[in-house]
Amino acid sequence: MTDDRRPIDILHKRRLSILPQNKIIKVIKEAAKAAATLIAGFLFAATKAPLDTYPFAIALVSSLSANPVFAVAGCLLRLLFDVQSRAAIFPYCVACVFICVARYMFSFFILDKKLIVSSGRLSDGMLTRVLCALIGELSTVLFFTALNGFDVYIIAGGVFSMCCGGALTVLLTSFFDKRYTSASANEVGLLALMFLISLSLSPIRIFSVSPALVFAFGATLWAAYTGGAVRGCTAGFLIGIGCGATFAPIAALFGLCAGLFTPVSKLASASAALVAAICCGAVTGGGENVLNYLPEALAGTAAVVIAALFGLVDVSQTEEKNQSAALCRELTEKKREEENKMKMELLSNAMESISQVMRSLSEKFRRPDGHSLENMCRAVWAEYCVGCPNDCPCKDLDNISRDDTIRRLADKLMNGSKIDPEKITDLTKAKCPKRDDIIREINARAAKMTEYAIKFDKTQIFAFDYEAMSKLLSEAVLASGTGYPIDKVTSDKLRKRLQRAGISAENLVVCGDRKKYIIVTGKDLSKTSVGAEDIRAMCEDVCACMMSKPEFIIENGTSAMILEGMKALSVQYAGKQSEKQGESVCGDSVSVIESREGYFYCFICDGMGSGPQAALTARICRVFLEKMLACGNDKTTTLQMLNMFLKNKGTESFATVDLLEVDMHMKTAAFIKSGAAPSYVMRGSNLFRIASGTLPVGILADVSAELTEFELCDGDVIIMASDGIADDYELETGKDPSWFADFLCREWTDDLHIMAEKILLAAKKSGRRSDDMTVELIRVSDVKSAREISDAENKDDELTA
């Protein structure tokens, strides 16, 4: 599999140029690990626990992922040379041998043979290792019982050793095998290992010097250097208990002071820790007590300080972890701010756009419509022409009604102008004796009609409201809101999954609700050999959603990996419209939009009635819904705002709204219907009907709408139709209400454009085109299924080639 992560390739090249991998160094490191494992086995084999038990060697052999053979070799060496303890440790050493053999056979014949051959590492799980430890401890109990007979002391020791061995196996596995650990479990495992080392060294004296105390002070200082005051204090306390209970508070204070002064300098940290340890010893036991451990404290402290000065101890680990955590927080905050800023800007632009639309509509609504002005002009003409002595052409009102001069007069009145006397002369083709009276009356009535329109028009109020909201939202763009919710459970699962794949993450967060974001930071991200597609597959499996390919960045020496949630569905749509017979415009208005949040919307707005007035109402609804939904507003709130606008506009404006929302991330859909016709969902060979008994928007103070939510499947087709088609199919006298459903099942074709054309043609043939007609078809497809099919086809093409 090819890996297309170019930043990682560049990083590897840069690292190779600075620190070339030397095979000799690698061999030395592996030899050092093997030697350390052998020494640990040698020491743990004879380390006594309460009730005369020796469970530590079994826990060590059961938990190691690599080199358990060397730990067994150390146990056998201890059995060979330690004559004094030979009888007591014999069954434990034999158990270690059998555990090692059993683990290798299980991993080789049942689990991953290739991993053992290539790296020598065992791939058995945590449960297998704990079972091996428990069986090994149990076998020692059976051995001593068979040898000495039933003894409560032996049984109690066996129970203790089984509990201790099982618990230590879990802790040590958490340290040795990163597949089954989080950062905190790894830390606890390391502390347990330090405790066992100090405990196993405590009986040993070399020229009256205690190696356990040297290790205790050195390991505590290292823990403080690499983890801070809390880590140093905790490590000192546990290691001190291993050396003897009296040393626990001294070592804990030593680690605390070392951690507190580490940011100053290494020497200052070591000096402050030594002063604190000396003072604590002097207070608790006097000067003689201090002399009992001062040489060891100096030796252990000096060894770690010298190693740190020469760069042999990585004391920058704490700083790197802090940088990694800071980078993780920074990237999460950056994503949150980008999303908030985008949403607020979209909402602000939507409000500004709606404000402009409302201003334009306000100018239109504040004047009488042309049809009313034409009727008014004809009425005035008829009144003043009665009893006129002149034989004017205008006396023939039928001729006037067919002339477009009246319409031109009405247009002039709509533009806010008064009637020009010359216009009357042009109309009558003669000087009218009542011209001035006619002009005065027409202008007076036009003014009253305009006053009435202004009085009852409230559109301008909405224009100012939305403009004010636009300004407020523009100012709020800079304000920060709450961050993405962090899914701690999923984050922990993903961390473990990546660790089992060999990807070590110092910080990992899975955040977001519908749309997930995965942010991973750590210095070892660049060392992974896992491909980008494999990483994406693991993240998709854990998060249960589609994810993008990982994007890698390097900032301040820390690597970061970012994955972003992708839409799980893709959408195709087709539609057809037809105006009512005898009308020049369609009273239905349709829109299809997709928001930045991954919502797909399709809605049909049907202005009540037909013709220009119905078309205007429908288009008002369409523009409002478009602007509000595109910027991520809630569909229910948007419909309530639209209903409020139509209800308070001043003139009767009703419209049915059929709104479909498809969540392309969550694979769900929702219908909101306000007086709309039924819709249908074609799923395979099954057809589902979705209807509601609600009123159009603009009638009641509270919106009358019904919400229907359902999950989507791959290949679902949603059919939306206006009441023009629904009436023709379901309400026409003498027809079966299920005729439309029968037609869809009988005439169905997968080509959406052809199917929309067939539905519209059938509606025209079945009815008298008594209303505007609109039909929309939407098909949803699963992106993951399509991607898998595409990958399979590409593989077939590669094999064929």
Side-chain angles (χ1 to χ4, degrees):
M1 179 177 291
T2 59
D3 192 339
D4 54 358
R5 294 166 296 152
R6 296 184 180 276
I8 291 300
D9 294 336
I10 295 173
L11 190 63
H12 274 303
K13 291 179 182 178
R14 187 172 63 186
R15 181 175 286 105
L16 288 171
S17 62
I18 298 174
L19 295 174
Q21 295 293 331
N22 193 312
K23 292 184 177 180
I24 298 177
I25 296 177
K26 186 176 181 180
V27 170
I28 293 174
K29 287 183 177 180
E30 293 298 326
K33 291 180 181 179
T37 305
L38 188 144
I39 294 172
F42 184 86
L43 294 174
F44 291 2
T47 302
K48 183 184 291 188
L51 300 177
D52 294 326
T53 58
Y54 299 85
F56 305 126
I58 291 179
L60 178 66
V61 174
S62 299
S63 61
L64 284 169
S65 297
N67 303 323
V69 174
F70 291 97
V72 173
C75 295
L76 296 178
L77 288 175
R78 188 62 178 258
L79 181 65
L80 180 63
F81 291 103
D82 194 344
V83 178
Q84 185 179 357
S85 305
R86 182 178 299 169
I89 66 174
F90 173 77
Y92 295 96
C93 294
V94 173
C96 289
V97 173
F98 282 102
I99 289 173
C100 182
V101 173
R103 289 185 61 200
Y104 269 104
M105 292 180 65
F106 181 72
S107 299
F108 187 85
F109 292 106
I110 298 179
L111 298 179
D112 196 346
K113 176 181 177 180
K114 294 181 179 179
L115 182 63
I116 297 178
V117 174
S118 61
S119 63
R121 298 182 64 86
L122 299 176
S123 57
D124 52 342
M126 175 79 77
L127 181 60
T128 303
R129 301 182 188 192
V130 173
L131 287 176
C132 287
L134 293 177
I135 294 172
E137 302 290 356
L138 179 61
S139 66
T140 61
V141 179
L142 297 176
F143 174 82
F144 285 117
T145 302
L147 186 65
N148 302 317
F150 181 82
D151 190 344
V152 176
Y153 187 80
I154 295 176
I155 300 300
V159 172
F160 172 81
S161 64
M162 290 179 65
C163 295
C164 181
L168 286 174
T169 300
V170 173
L171 295 176
L172 295 178
T173 301
S174 299
F175 175 72
F176 291 126
D177 194 333
K178 294 183 179 181
R179 295 179 304 165
Y180 302 96
T181 179
S182 63
S184 57
N186 181 271
E187 189 72 14
V188 174
L190 175 60
L191 293 175
L193 180 62
M194 289 181 174
F195 167 76
L196 291 178
I197 293 174
S198 64
L199 182 64
S200 63
L201 290 173
S202 58
I204 302 174
R205 291 291 185 274
I206 302 176
F207 301 109
S208 71
V209 175
S210 172
L213 289 176
V214 175
F215 171 79
F217 285 100
T220 301
L221 183 60
W222 171 82
Y225 276 169
T226 57
V230 175
R231 190 188 194 204
C233 182
T234 306
F237 183 77
L238 291 176
I239 297 172
I241 292 177
C243 297
T246 57
F247 292 103
I250 298 174
L253 183 61
F254 178 86
L256 178 64
C257 293
L260 291 175
F261 285 89
T262 294
V264 179
S265 70
K266 303 178 185 66
L267 289 175
S269 173
S271 301
L274 284 172
V275 171
I278 293 171
C279 293
C280 181
V283 171
T284 57
E288 185 177 351
N289 183 41
V290 174
L291 294 177
N292 289 334
Y293 62 82
L294 183 59
E296 289 87 346
L298 293 173
T301 302
V304 174
V305 170
I306 293 172
L309 292 175
F310 283 95
L312 300 178
V313 176
D314 186 9
V315 297
S316 62
Q317 185 176 355
T318 303
E319 182 180 355
E320 290 178 352
K321 286 184 177 179
N322 292 335
Q323 289 179 352
S324 177
L327 178 59
C328 188
R329 289 192 299 269
E330 180 183 346
L331 293 174
T332 305
E333 183 71 14
K334 185 178 180 181
K335 283 289 182 184
R336 180 192 61 79
E337 289 180 354
E338 288 177 354
E339 291 291 329
N340 281 346
K341 184 176 181 180
M342 178 271 295
K343 185 171 182 178
M344 298 296 282
E345 286 180 346
L346 286 174
L347 189 55
S348 176
N349 294 335
M351 293 299 180
E352 184 179 359
S353 178
I354 291 176
S355 174
Q356 294 174 357
V357 172
M358 296 303 174
R359 285 181 181 277
S360 300
L361 291 174
S362 177
E363 293 299 322
K364 183 178 180 64
F365 292 147
R366 289 165 68 87
R367 297 187 179 90
D369 64 276
H371 184 68
S372 299
L373 288 172
E374 289 178 21
N375 291 336
M376 183 270 292
C377 291
R378 289 191 179 91
V380 172
W381 218 279
E383 291 174 7
Y384 280 90
C385 283
V386 175
C388 180
N390 294 342
D391 187 15
C392 302
C394 60
K395 278 186 136 183
D396 188 356
L397 294 178
D398 293 336
N399 290 337
I400 293 175
S401 64
R402 288 193 296 269
D403 192 56
D404 64 346
T405 306
I406 289 290
R407 186 167 296 173
R408 290 200 299 270
L409 291 176
D411 291 340
K412 193 168 186 65
L413 289 171
M414 287 185 64
N415 292 329
S417 303
K418 294 185 177 181
I419 297 296
D420 188 352
E422 297 300 326
K423 294 294 182 180
I424 302 295
T425 303
D426 293 341
L427 177 63
T428 60
K429 308 300 181 184
K431 187 174 181 179
C432 179
K434 297 185 178 181
R435 182 189 66 179
D436 294 338
D437 295 334
I438 292 174
I439 293 173
R440 189 183 306 109
E441 184 65 21
I442 288 177
N443 288 334
R445 293 191 184 186
K448 287 184 179 181
M449 294 175 68
T450 302
E451 181 183 359
Y452 181 84
I454 293 174
K455 180 179 179 180
F456 287 95
D457 175 59
K458 300 179 182 179
T459 312
Q460 193 172 29
I461 298 175
F462 288 97
F464 285 120
D465 285 344
Y466 285 113
E467 184 177 25
M469 291 175 66
S470 174
K471 292 180 180 179
L472 291 174
L473 292 171
S474 296
E475 294 173 357
V477 167
L478 299 178
S480 60
T482 57
Y484 290 142
I486 296 178
D487 189 339
K488 295 183 179 180
V489 175
T490 305
S491 299
D492 189 57
K493 289 181 179 179
L494 184 58
R495 180 184 291 107
K496 293 179 180 179
R497 181 68 177 273
L498 293 178
Q499 285 173 343
R500 287 197 294 269
I503 301 175
S504 178
E506 293 179 3
N507 293 278
L508 186 150
V509 293
V510 178
C511 56
D513 187 9
R514 293 174 48 254
K515 185 177 181 180
K516 300 290 185 183
Y517 287 96
I518 300 173
I519 301 175
V520 187
T521 59
K523 63 177 182 179
D524 294 331
L525 286 179
S526 57
K527 298 179 181 179
T528 179
S529 59
V530 183
E533 287 293 344
D534 293 334
I535 294 175
R536 176 164 71 173
M538 287 186 286
C539 293
E540 289 180 345
D541 184 48
V542 173
C543 298
C545 64
M546 297 284 293
M547 303 299 298
S548 65
K549 286 187 177 181
E551 175 188 354
F552 293 85
I553 63 173
I554 303 174
E555 189 169 323
N556 297 327
T558 302
S559 302
M561 179 175 70
I562 303 173
L563 293 89
E564 182 177 341
M566 296 179 62
K567 291 176 287 191
L569 294 177
S570 62
V571 178
Q572 296 175 295
Y573 59 90
K576 290 289 182 180
Q577 269 190 318
S578 177
E579 69 278 359
K580 178 182 176 181
Q581 190 171 7
E583 296 289 348
S584 59
V585 294
C586 181
D588 298 341
S589 190
V590 183
S591 186
V592 176
I593 60 172
E594 182 178 334
S595 70
R596 290 286 298 272
E597 286 79 10
Y599 287 105
F600 172 88
Y601 294 98
C602 179
F603 43 88
I604 301 175
C605 302
D606 184 1
M608 301 305 292
S610 59
Q613 189 62 33
L616 177 61
T617 303
R619 279 157 179 73
I620 290 173
C621 297
R622 175 181 60 81
V623 171
F624 190 96
L625 293 175
E626 275 183 358
K627 300 301 182 181
M628 296 298 288
L629 293 175
C631 61
N633 280 317
D634 179 70
K635 53 187 178 295
T636 304
T637 304
T638 299
L639 201 61
Q640 289 172 347
M641 294 176 68
L642 175 62
N643 181 73
M644 180 183 65
F645 167 71
L646 294 179
K647 180 70 172 60
N648 296 282
K649 191 170 70 66
T651 58
E652 289 189 352
S653 299
F654 311 141
T656 65
V657 176
D658 196 5
L659 171 60
L660 169 69
E661 178 190 72
V662 176
D663 189 335
M664 294 187 286
H665 285 281
M666 304 302 293
K667 301 169 67 172
T668 59
F671 265 114
I672 291 187
K673 291 181 175 290
S674 290
S679 300
Y680 296 84
V681 178
M682 179 69 77
R683 179 171 295 172
S685 59
N686 299 317
L687 184 68
F688 301 90
R689 183 174 182 268
I690 300 174
S692 69
T694 53
L695 297 174
V697 293
I699 296 179
L700 302 177
D702 294 327
V703 64
S704 175
E706 187 171 316
L707 175 65
T708 304
E709 297 177 321
F710 56 97
E711 294 183 356
L712 292 170
C713 297
D714 184 26
D716 282 356
V717 179
I718 301 169
I719 303 102
M720 303 173 64
S722 66
D723 55 1
I725 289 180
D727 284 346
D728 282 340
Y729 278 173
E730 297 186 359
L731 302 179
E732 188 177 350
T733 304
K735 292 241 179 175
D736 185 357
S738 63
W739 192 88
F740 187 27
D742 294 338
F743 172 80
L744 291 175
C745 295
R746 184 178 63 254
E747 301 294 335
W748 184 259
T749 178
D750 288 335
D751 191 312
L752 299 185
H753 294 278
I754 295 177
M755 191 63 204
E757 187 72 32
K758 290 171 69 174
I759 293 173
L760 195 63
L761 290 175
K764 289 179 179 179
K765 290 179 182 179
S766 66
R768 299 181 301 275
R769 293 179 64 189
S770 58
D771 200 354
D772 303 304
M773 298 180 183
T774 300
V775 61
E776 294 290 323
L777 291 91
I778 302 97
R779 176 187 286 124
V780 296
S781 302
D782 191 281
V783 175
K784 189 173 183 179
S785 300
R787 189 175 70 187
E788 290 174 353
I789 294 173
S790 177
D791 293 342
E793 291 176 351
N794 292 335
K795 289 181 180 179
D796 292 340
D797 293 340
E798 291 176 1
L799 293 174
T800 304

